[in-house]
Amino acid sequence: MKVALGQFAVSREWEANVETCLSLMAKSREAGADLLVLPEGILARDITDPDLVLKAAQPLDGPFVSKLLDASKGNALTTMMSIHTPTPDGRAFNVLISIRNGEIISEYRKLHLYDAFNMQESRNVNPGTEVPPLVDVAGFKVGLMTCYDVRFPELARRLVLDGAEVLVLPAAWVKGPLKEMHWEVLVTARALENTSYIVAVGECGERNIGNSMVVDPLGVAIARAAEAPALVFADIERERLAHARKVLPVLENRCFDVPQLK
């Protein structure tokens, strides 16, 4: 499976962001990618206006997603991204969607909200309540996580026990002391401890680190972006996955079950 990592800085205007997404989708198709992963919260961003997630939120049948669905018709590229959708109580969900051939094929509402490092995602966003479904892409089973989820190893393990071979992680990882180190350590750990590939795509720009990466099942980073907008490609290899799970059978050797949701 060929994966594309579409790293960019999210604008305040959804119209500009959808054009960026359409361009990345077109370039990924031209390169023969099976899967394109985009960052978290790509509908709109303004670091001076934390309430923009509410003011800019759109339903999944709104103009932002509709334009992407139209562009996805007639080809096999699967595109994954996170956007904010409105809720009946005047708040929002942070929803990771997968689209392919004109349809939304999966939805995941972010479980772990980023209430850490002096930030409070839960101020505007409601948490999800369900473990995300696996998505079939080019013969691989793909598990879904969003940003802060990567700090909770039980979710990644649950997805892998459900059958995930690849983990996808759209993110908007905020800059700060040691934060780039946290990102690399956590992404690598989730891949290595689960003998799974992980495709982690971060927003870049004034507030966020970028640093998108693909890590293989033995903890080797096989593709990276820096701090600027980029479109990076990597190959997911079934032989590498099988080799890792043979020489490092942690999934067979484990002694503990994964706890259920509270």
Side-chain angles (χ1 to χ4, degrees):
M1 176 168 66
K2 186 172 185 177
V3 298
L5 291 70
Q7 176 175 294
F8 66 100
V10 177
S11 151
R12 183 181 175 86
E13 305 299 329
W14 73 264
E15 293 90 346
N17 297 321
V18 81
E19 290 302 320
T20 299
C21 295
L22 293 172
S23 174
L24 291 168
M25 290 170 67
K27 291 175 181 178
S28 298
R29 288 195 303 270
E30 291 169 4
D34 301 293
L35 173 64
L36 166 64
V37 182
L38 301 172
E40 176 189 23
I42 61 173
L43 190 59
R45 178 94 65 215
D46 185 343
I47 63 173
T48 68
D49 185 2
D51 294 330
L52 186 62
V53 295
L54 297 181
K55 293 180 283 189
Q58 293 186 16
L60 294 180
D61 60 357
F64 184 89
V65 175
S66 295
K67 286 180 178 291
L68 299 183
L69 290 176
D70 286 344
S72 74
K73 291 177 180 177
N75 65 82
L77 176 68
T78 301
T79 304
M80 297 182 177
M81 74 207 78
S82 154
I83 70 166
H84 289 94
T85 64
T87 62
D89 62 357
R91 293 164 58 79
F93 281 122
N94 187 337
V95 186
L96 196 172
I97 60 171
S98 307
I99 66 173
R100 183 166 63 217
N101 195 21
E103 297 182 351
I104 297 173
I105 60 173
S106 75
E107 301 174 26
Y108 161 56
R109 295 179 174 89
K110 186 178 181 182
L111 285 168
H112 301 100
L113 300 184
Y114 185 51
D115 289 357
F117 292 106
N118 298 313
M119 301 191 72
Q120 190 177 12
E121 186 177 11
S122 65
R123 179 170 175 265
N124 291 316
V125 178
N126 291 330
T129 59
E130 297 181 355
V131 174
L134 302 185
V135 181
D136 290 321
V137 181
F140 286 84
K141 293 190 178 300
V142 179
L144 310 176
M145 303 188 297
T146 304
C147 202
Y148 192 47
D149 282 337
V150 77
R151 291 187 182 272
F152 300 89
E154 58 272 16
L155 177 58
R157 176 56 55 88
R158 166 65 187 272
L159 293 170
V160 170
L161 293 180
D162 284 347
E165 300 160 310
V166 180
L167 299 171
V168 160
L169 183 76
W173 203 261
V174 180
K175 296 176 181 178
L178 303 178
K179 292 295 294 301
E180 291 187 13
M181 183 192 72
H182 291 187
W183 169 257
E184 182 159 351
V185 167
L186 290 163
V187 170
T188 302
R190 296 297 85 83
L192 180 56
E193 71 194 5
N194 291 296
T195 52
S196 172
Y197 281 93
I198 185 165
V199 182
V201 180
E203 185 195 350
C204 59
E206 187 177 351
R207 189 190 72 160
N208 298 313
I209 68 170
N211 286 18
S212 301
M213 59 196 302
V214 179
V215 180
D216 83 0
L218 289 176
V220 179
I222 60 172
R224 290 178 180 270
E227 81 289 353
L231 180 60
V232 177
F233 297 94
D235 291 322
I236 305 294
E237 299 177 345
R238 185 161 296 285
E239 294 79 8
R240 180 66 167 173
L241 182 70
H243 170 72
R245 293 186 172 182
K246 180 179 180 180
V247 300
L248 183 61
V250 291
L251 301 177
E252 296 177 16
N253 297 157
R254 65 190 177 87
C255 297
F256 298 97
D257 289 329
V258 176
Q260 299 300 309
L261 287 173
K262 292 187 290 184

